[in-house]
Amino acid sequence: MSEPDIDFSLKETSPNLGGGRVSGSEKLTSSFDLVEQLHFLYVKMVRAKGLPPSPCNPFVEVKVGNYEGTTKSLENNPDPEWNQVFAFAKDRIQAVTVEITVRNKESSTNVDKVVGKLRFDIPDIPSRVPPDSQLAPQWYSLEDENGSKGERGELMLAIWMGTQADEAFPDAWHSDAASVNGESIANTRSKVYISPRLWYLRINIIQAQDLVPMNNKRIPQVYVKAMLGNMALRSRFSPDKSLNPTWNEDLMFVAAEPFDDPLMLSVVDNLSDNKEEVLGSCSIHLSKVEKRLMPIPIEANWYNLEQSVQDNRNNKEVRFASRLHLRVCLDGGYHVLDESIYYSSDFRATSKFLWPPAIGVLELGILNASGLLPMKSKNGRGTTDAYCVAKYGPKWVRTRTIVNSFAPKWNEQYTWDVYDPYTVITIGVFDNCHLQGGSNAVDSQDRRIGKVRIRLSTLNADRIYTLSYPLIVLEPNGVKKTGEIQLSVRFTCSSTWNLLQSYTQPLFPQMHYLLPLSVYQIESLRHQATHTLSSRLRRAEPPLESEVVEYMLDVGSNVWSLRRGRANLERLLAAFNLLVEAWKWFDQIRKWKNPISTMAVHFLYSMLILFPDMILPLVFLMCVVHGASQYRKRPRHPPHMDTKLSLVESVQSDDFDEEFDTFPTSKNVKVLKKRYDRLRSIAGRMMTIIGDLATQAERLNSMLSWRDPRATSLFMAFCLIACIAFYLVPWRLFALGFGFFGMRHPRFRISIPSMAQNFFKRLPARTDGMI
């Protein structure tokens, strides 16, 4: 359970964007106008020449105050080349000089020999701001420790003051990560990742021909097994128990470009429960598979099945000419779902030929975080090495890792092209556990700190939103606020016509409606897509780990959760709150709580019945008036993750324990029995509600079914009288009479059910036949 004093609200902030040159209503002014300027001292080590020829394993040491960075050591190279950049945060510099030392790596001793030195006064270092060209490196003669120049060689370098907008910023060594060295430095840098293009691979299995089983005396039970990479699917058993079986069944995979893995197909005979025989197999390279954009039938092909059997009598290999009839294609007309439909960041088809025009640009500034909790222990004290990941469409971005800070400042800005306003950008914060110094084995996985979702349709165009979002995580013991992240967001619309037209277009490409996929297929293919993305992004450098990708894609969001079930029920009731309020208002009218209002409603109702052409115009006018009245109450900020809506503050700890349980469960029998009994109780109430709904529907059907002859006779007689009455009496008179009767004064009302209700409740239902 959460503490009552924790603040989970969204806060508006006023950061100094673009060095104070940008306000909330300005349009694009520069490529880094949504973040605060960070100033860095950059030192670029290019190369050296003329170093002493004695055993020469040179490296360069750059020291600014207490911060020290070194290049890699190059063995036996008097003219080394490094091309390495060092970035020192200006607000942490407490020195007045930059000391650059060229050293020789000594393998025999622990003390590295000094080859030469350089010193630069920080106030004299020039500044450079893009789009200015890069500073040209210069040669500097190395000096000894006394400041005299001799035959010590020369060093080519460039040194300047810049900001995070500098081209050297992403790949530079940062003083924020000075405690990280070796191969772990790559895990601290900011990177942009592009997801591989995903295709739906459809295999229509038609039939097999001339199968040759090992045992000809038994009837084969044959199915087809398909494998793509490490994903495997199988068809049903063929209903034709013969050597020429048929299926006419579709199997679907998710394939990622480039198509490295071939499609492997095998025809398998099920001999017993634990024994199978492969009757033949074939391999299909996806680069040769036809691509289609619309559900147009493609040509089926025969594929030879390879099977080798050893003939012991003649001591030779015998091959059989079995064949498999298939239609194989890559469907580019679908959007491959890797996220939940409700907060997807993209709805475009796989094929670029089907993409709609862009409607604008989304810009995100990841400023800083504050109040982060310790996520792990180093040297006996808690620490956090935080970085952010943002995903929108196929583009993922990762900020640099700020080491050992509970208030990291990133100030990095990224942009995306927008094709649909009904999309969501997801920003996650993680603790980097792949750096040196982790104390536990569990630190091999990056820990989640929190996540933020922003729906683009809730943003006003050309406005800068600067907000501080709470970072919230759910744990088995309840909800926890792990800090806050400050973001700046701007959606710039490039075409208002395309933006408005997108609201009238189908959400998904046409293929989803012309050849729809089943719910089971969608869930299975989404699982394949997330697995494929996770494995591909993990191969990048630095890698996006599987736990990060799965958290960003909300893998497991469809797992049973009693808390989410209750929250969804309350959402459903809240959505029908307008109807409830309308009924309460009408109940006050019909009970004459306010006689003036009731008389006014009588008059308005009479006018609508006498002039029915005014009904629809009045309804739409009321919608306009109601919408205009709600304009002042409109949300000022985009929505964020609501703890009250999600019921994370009001549920018991056992509910969280059940939500975080593994699948299959790892709990003992006593806990499972308690949960099972609770689930039976909930299901019993649902069963009763469903039964009541079924009873009412069956009563409605039994009006004319003659299950109750007297009730059907009475209803038919009523229908005959009503037919004559409605034919002779104008409908307006009936409508007036019905409305006035419903709003009659309580003095003329009795609190017993009406004749119609009494008649309906006596109609028979099929509950009598239930066991």
Side-chain angles (χ1 to χ4, degrees), residues 505-544:
Q505 301 299 316
L507 189 62
F508 289 99
Q510 294 184 13
M511 197 82 158
H512 286 267
Y513 308 100
L514 300 178
L515 192 62
L517 303 174
S518 66
V519 175
Y520 171 78
Q521 284 179 313
I522 291 175
E523 288 298 325
S524 174
L525 292 170
R526 185 191 169 197
H527 171 73
Q528 292 186 42
T530 54
H531 177 79
T532 302
L533 285 180
S534 177
S535 61
R536 287 293 182 94
L537 293 175
R538 195 174 185 181
R539 288 156 53 183
E541 184 63 35
L544 270 184

Side-chain angles (χ1 to χ4, degrees), residues 619-665:
V619 169
F620 289 116
L621 179 61
M622 290 178 64
C623 291
V624 172
V625 173
H626 180 72
S629 65
Q630 296 296 313
Y631 182 75
R632 289 188 175 182
K633 302 178 183 178
R634 70 190 185 279
R636 304 292 178 175
H637 309 302
H640 67 291
M641 293 188 180
D642 193 338
T643 56
K644 294 182 179 179
L645 179 67
S646 305
L647 299 183
V648 294
E649 299 180 87
S650 57
V651 297
Q652 301 298 322
S653 59
D654 185 57
D655 292 337
F656 285 116
D657 188 53
E658 180 181 14
E659 187 171 338
F660 283 88
D661 193 7
T662 58
F663 190 87
T665 183

Side-chain angles (χ1 to χ4, degrees), residues 481-712:
K481 181 180 178 181
T482 55
E484 295 185 0
I485 182 171
Q486 187 173 348
L487 305 173
S488 58
V489 186
R490 175 173 54 199
F491 169 57
T492 305
C493 178
S494 59
S495 174
T496 305
W497 171 254
N498 289 338
L499 174 62
L500 297 178
Q501 190 181 28
S502 65
Y503 281 87
T504 66
Q505 301 299 316
L507 189 62
F508 289 99
Q510 294 184 13
M511 197 82 158
H512 286 267
Y513 308 100
L514 300 178
L515 192 62
L517 303 174
S518 66
V519 175
Y520 171 78
Q521 284 179 313
I522 291 175
E523 288 298 325
S524 174
L525 292 170
R526 185 191 169 197
H527 171 73
Q528 292 186 42
T530 54
H531 177 79
T532 302
L533 285 180
S534 177
S535 61
R536 287 293 182 94
L537 293 175
R538 195 174 185 181
R539 288 156 53 183
E541 184 63 35
L544 270 184
E545 300 296 336
S546 300
E547 62 272 15
V548 174
V549 176
E550 292 176 0
Y551 182 59
M552 296 292 290
L553 296 178
D554 286 282
V555 174
S557 59
N558 56 347
V559 177
W560 161 254
S561 168
L562 183 61
R563 172 191 62 83
R564 275 200 291 259
R566 291 172 177 169
N568 289 334
L569 179 61
E570 292 198 4
R571 288 173 53 208
L572 183 64
L573 296 177
F576 286 101
N577 187 55
L578 183 62
L579 297 177
V580 174
E581 294 298 326
W583 172 253
K584 290 180 179 179
W585 172 81
F586 180 71
D587 190 58
Q588 292 180 352
I589 293 297
R590 62 193 290 266
K591 290 181 179 179
W592 292 70
K593 296 290 185 180
N594 188 340
I596 298 178
S597 299
T598 303
M599 294 298 296
V601 171
H602 276 75
F603 174 76
L604 181 61
Y605 180 75
S606 302
M607 296 301 295
L608 291 177
I609 295 302
L610 296 176
F611 302 98
D613 295 342
M614 298 297 296
I615 294 177
L616 289 179
L618 186 60
V619 169
F620 289 116
L621 179 61
M622 290 178 64
C623 291
V624 172
V625 173
H626 180 72
S629 65
Q630 296 296 313
Y631 182 75
R632 289 188 175 182
K633 302 178 183 178
R634 70 190 185 279
R636 304 292 178 175
H637 309 302
H640 67 291
M641 293 188 180
D642 193 338
T643 56
K644 294 182 179 179
L645 179 67
S646 305
L647 299 183
V648 294
E649 299 180 87
S650 57
V651 297
Q652 301 298 322
S653 59
D654 185 57
D655 292 337
F656 285 116
D657 188 53
E658 180 181 14
E659 187 171 338
F660 283 88
D661 193 7
T662 58
F663 190 87
T665 183
S666 58
K667 299 299 180 181
N668 57 45
V669 177
K670 184 177 180 181
V671 174
L672 293 180
K673 182 179 178 181
K674 178 182 177 181
R675 292 178 181 174
Y676 177 67
D677 290 340
R678 181 176 61 180
L679 191 60
R680 288 178 63 192
S681 175
I682 297 173
R685 291 195 293 268
M686 295 299 298
M687 180 189 65
T688 303
I689 294 173
I690 295 173
D692 290 342
L693 294 175
T695 298
Q696 306 308 321
E698 290 171 351
R699 284 173 176 171
L700 190 64
N701 292 332
S702 64
M703 286 183 177
L704 295 172
S705 66
W706 293 93
R707 293 193 62 191
D708 185 343
R710 286 170 294 276
T712 303

Side-chain angles (χ1 to χ4, degrees), residues 243-316:
L243 300 181
N244 298 299
T246 61
W247 290 276
N248 196 23
E249 181 180 354
D250 282 354
L251 300 180
M252 294 189 69
F253 287 96
V254 173
E257 292 183 351
F259 302 125
D260 298 329
D261 300 316
L263 173 65
M264 305 296 297
L265 294 167
S266 303
V267 180
V268 183
D269 184 12
N270 185 32
L271 302 178
S272 62
D273 292 340
N274 298 319
K275 189 176 181 181
E276 295 179 337
E277 177 192 359
V278 178
L279 303 181
S281 60
C282 66
S283 174
I284 302 175
H285 293 280
L286 300 188
S287 58
K288 301 178 182 179
V289 172
E290 181 180 349
K291 298 177 181 178
R292 67 172 183 177
L293 307 183
M294 297 299 290
I296 301 173
I298 64 171
E299 183 180 355
N301 296 312
W302 287 97
Y303 294 88
N304 294 327
L305 298 176
E306 296 181 0
Q307 182 191 26
S308 298
V309 179
Q310 193 72 24
D311 188 349
N312 296 323
R313 291 178 300 178
N314 299 322
N315 194 22
K316 64 178 182 179

Side-chain angles (χ1 to χ4, degrees), residues 83-115:
N83 285 315
Q84 188 171 347
V85 180
F86 300 86
F88 299 87
K90 186 178 179 182
D91 58 352
R92 297 188 180 184
I93 294 177
Q94 298 179 351
V96 294
T97 60
V98 179
E99 297 182 6
I100 299 174
T101 306
V102 179
R103 294 181 180 270
N104 186 45
K105 190 75 174 178
E106 299 288 345
S107 57
S108 59
T109 63
N110 295 327
V111 179
D112 297 324
K113 181 181 178 181
V114 176
V115 178

Side-chain angles (χ1 to χ4, degrees), residues 122-180:
I122 292 179
D124 298 334
I125 294 176
S127 297
R128 182 232 170 194
V129 178
D132 292 349
S133 299
Q134 296 186 18
L135 239 63
Q138 299 181 33
W139 287 103
Y140 296 88
S141 298
L142 295 175
E143 303 173 351
D144 60 15
E145 295 185 2
N146 298 322
S148 61
K149 298 180 181 180
E151 299 296 330
R152 295 183 175 275
E154 293 180 289
L155 186 63
M156 176 183 280
L157 61 88
I159 184 168
W160 71 96
M161 286 290 183
T163 66
Q164 72 269 39
D166 202 289
E167 297 89 344
F169 177 81
D171 296 323
W173 174 94
H174 285 272
S175 59
D176 294 333
S179 60
V180 181

